Amino acid sequence: MSECIFCRIVAGTIPSKIVYADDQAVAFEDINPQAPVHVLVIPRKHVSSLGEVAEGDQALLGHLMRTCLKIAQDKGIGASGYRIVTNAGRDGGQTVFHVHLHLLGGRALSWPPG
């Protein structure tokens, strides 16, 4: 999807601060961070929202979660704690329609978040 900003980041046509990449996922620093560590973890494959995840994508979602764990450890927040958030649909706060996980940490996070 050439119009999807995250697909363009995956393709390398939009610059971003990549912190991790493999054959299934790309992770990059959020341009509007809400915590000292705020990384977006996305699948290379375009999936618009959690509501459009196919049965065959279960392993991909697990991979995204494991990628968050690796990045949290690499960023030094694995032991102190972190939050992983995903938004689904407009009312859920989703603004970019490409599945993505927000990895947040580096400070105490309050609840409720929104």
Side-chain angles (χ1 to χ4, degrees), residues 4 6-7 9-10 22-28 40-49 53 57 60-61 63-64 67 98-101:
C4 171
F6 286 174
C7 286
I9 289 171
V10 167
D22 64 25
D23 62 328
Q24 297 181 71
V26 175
F28 52 93
L40 299 178
V41 179
I42 67 172
R44 288 185 178 273
K45 173 184 175 181
H46 181 85
V47 179
S48 295
S49 183
V53 171
D57 291 329
L60 176 61
L61 294 178
H63 181 74
L64 296 178
T67 299
H98 183 122
V99 166
H100 56 286
L101 304 179

Side-chain angles (χ1 to χ4, degrees), residues 48-51 84-97 100 102 111 113-114:
S48 295
S49 183
L50 283 177
I84 300 170
V85 177
T86 189
N87 302 317
R90 291 194 195 286
D91 285 351
Q94 187 176 5
T95 57
V96 176
F97 287 85
H100 56 286
H102 295 259
W111 194 263

